[in-house]
Amino acid sequence: MAILKKHLLAAVMSCSVLTSAAEPSDLPSSASSKPPNFIVILTDDQGYADVGFNGSQDIATPNIDRIADEGTRFTNGYVTFSVCGPSRAGLLTGRYQDRFGFGRNPVIDPADPRAGLPVSEKMISEVLQPVGYTSAIIGKWHMGAHLVFHPNKRGFEYFYGFLSGGHRYFPEELTVDSIDEAVKENAWYRTKIMQNNQRIDIDEYLTDELSNEAVSFIEREQDNPFFLYLAYNAPHTPLQATSEYLKRNRHIRDKNRRTYAAMITAVDDGVGRVLDTLEQLDIDDNTLVFFLSDNGGSRKNASKNAPLRGNKGEYFEGGIHVPFAVSWPGVIPSGVDYHHPVSSLDIMATLASLADAPISEERPLDGVNLIPYITGKYSGLPHEVLFWRGFDQGTLAMRQGDLKVMHSRKYGDHLYDLKMDPGEKNNLVEENKAMFSRKKQQMEAWAEELIDPVIRPLRVNKKEKG
């Protein structure tokens, strides 16, 4: 046990100093002279083990795997929260969402001007807009339903999707025309799709519709620098898939798992179409593509997070450690695994740095530009430490080197060496009480920088929450 204590201490002491803002703009020499395009593909509640590049045996994801195969796989890629809304807020701002009170999923209330991402915070789209980028959000928004939070008012020139935390997938089920009707009937998942400010009817399975729009946007903006945020709601419940996608997964016996897999197949087809379009337009070598899930797989959608412990809503690895990869042909090394911890916070910092977009000194980023790290220009760690807070659970967690620490009213106290125990099976708190106490103090000091949630607790149909 003394050897294990020594290993834990070394893991902590070997970390470099935390960088809490985007690195200066530093485009790699092999990059195009044109500003690079940016695509962030986000899935919803996809399990860590449910992509080929993380070893999936029953769900084929050849197109998603292309991003990892042609780029870099982050074996220790994290999001900032274990459920949808706050996680997306962290990604879109590059800042821990609890710094601005987004510590809960937003209520589905278009009359509530506090239930969304504060306008004082800048999203990726708002940072890129002044430097000439055209941005689109296609899919799930979940950043607030009040008019002040509408995507078209947050730097996105084009919006095609829905405002709530989830949606039904078959077009014939999308019958709700107005916001008031949706609130009254608790029927946000059945609202008609929005194209900017208009409600429209669709003809195809929702995932396919989102992929169609992504391709169309790329084709329209191929000659201009663009940012595409392709936020699929699959494979979030309800579990719904077309017969075509179900047939392609008929080898899976469990009905729910088969439907879940079919939903991922639809996403994978869409990712393939996006990547093929970039190649056909000859802009793939000038386009940076991120892929990740917004949190770990849910207990409700037949996902798998193995070998990680836990699920969506928890701060064990299965709730926050997600499939995560990035590609940029000719710039980012291909077929490489990057093992140091990285965060969805780093996406904003990376894009802002590459676009030479200024960041407010009053609201510094918590992420870093990942490009110098994955290209080998920087040899240190992107982060000395990553933190999490689950306010309503009374949870604080951190990862420092290989050390994982959690103090929680709901889950108790935990200490793990993730290098030796990635499944968090062997809690080391009892034999390392002094170390745990120091790390608890470190987490509490970080939490002093945060504010309580400004969003009131979520009250929607239990079957239809984000």
Side-chain angles (χ1 to χ4, degrees), residues 27-98:
L27 275 170
S29 58
S30 57
S32 167
S33 59
K34 290 180 57 180
N37 306 308
F38 305 128
I39 300 177
V40 176
I41 302 172
L42 188 68
T43 54
D44 199 342
D45 295 0
Q46 185 171 2
Y48 175 82
D50 293 331
V51 288
F53 68 72
N54 280 345
S56 175
Q57 297 298 309
D58 58 347
I59 302 176
T61 57
N63 295 300
I64 294 172
D65 295 345
R66 283 168 60 186
I67 298 172
D69 294 342
E70 297 172 4
T72 297
R73 175 180 74 138
F74 298 115
T75 60
N76 287 290
Y78 289 89
V79 290
T80 61
F81 206 85
S82 63
V83 299
C84 308
S87 172
R88 290 159 189 260
L91 186 160
L92 286 168
T93 62
R95 287 163 48 81
Y96 286 113
Q97 61 282 341
D98 286 283

Side-chain angles (χ1 to χ4, degrees), residues 4-12 403 416-417 428 432 435:
L4 182 55
K5 290 181 180 179
K6 183 178 180 181
H7 177 80
L8 285 169
L9 182 61
V12 173
L403 192 70
Y416 301 99
D417 177 358
L428 304 172
N432 294 277
M435 175 183 287

Side-chain angles (χ1 to χ4, degrees), residues 375-386:
T375 58
K377 181 177 180 180
Y378 294 171
S379 58
L381 306 183
H383 299 275
E384 180 209 357
V385 61
L386 293 172

Side-chain angles (χ1 to χ4, degrees), residues 108 110 145 163-164 167 174-194 197-201:
I108 314 301
L163 299 173
S164 57
H167 221 66
L174 309 185
T175 57
V176 178
D177 286 298
S178 72
I179 292 177
D180 291 338
E181 183 183 351
V183 172
K184 181 179 178 181
E185 298 184 6
N186 206 7
W188 280 98
Y189 277 36
R190 300 178 186 274
T191 54
K192 293 183 178 181
I193 295 303
M194 296 188 72
N197 291 301
Q198 301 298 316
R199 298 259 173 209
I200 63 170
D201 294 315

Side-chain angles (χ1 to χ4, degrees), residues 336-369:
V336 171
D337 284 351
Y338 188 82
H339 298 298
H340 295 311
V342 302
S343 171
S344 56
L345 294 168
D346 300 326
I347 293 175
M348 161 69 105
T350 300
L351 305 193
S353 181
L354 293 173
D356 210 9
I359 299 296
S360 170
E361 293 183 0
E362 297 178 356
R363 293 177 177 80
L365 302 184
D366 291 303
V368 302
N369 177 10

